[in-house]
Amino acid sequence: MTPDAILALYEWTIGGCFRCGQVDLFVTHVDEIVTPSGDRYELSSCGSCVLAMEEERRRYAERRGRAYEPGGLTQGEP
């Protein structure tokens, strides 16, 4: 699957990337952190970081003998 096809699987908005620290660029929601006091912080990632994380997911699936399905970052899959 091409990088553009993988990125098309996600919804994008302007924000900051938790992984590389860049701000004011297109990001997608990937997870959230909930503190013990109940505060919620959204974790969003830019396209470059999404592709890097998808590659990590693909290699992990390959090592485990599992099928890799791109687009799973927002679904809580390893």
Side-chain angles (χ1 to χ4, degrees):
M1 184 174 261
T2 67
D4 286 340
I6 292 172
L7 295 176
L9 298 172
Y10 294 96
E11 293 182 26
W12 299 91
T13 187
I14 299 292
C17 178
F18 86 96
R19 195 163 186 259
C20 69
Q22 292 187 57
V23 294
D24 295 328
L25 70 163
F26 284 105
V27 294
T28 190
H29 172 84
V30 292
D31 208 349
E32 69 181 7
I33 294 173
V34 181
T35 66
S37 64
D39 295 328
R40 294 180 181 271
Y41 296 95
E42 182 177 311
L43 296 178
S44 296
S45 188
C46 69
S48 295
C49 290
V50 165
L51 292 174
M53 289 186 289
E54 284 286 358
E55 179 60 17
E56 291 171 15
R57 289 182 66 246
R58 186 195 64 74
R59 289 188 306 222
Y60 179 83
E62 185 177 282
R63 285 192 310 269
R64 300 292 185 260
R66 297 180 182 169
Y68 164 67
E69 291 282 331
L73 288 174
T74 59
Q75 299 168 4
E77 297 175 5

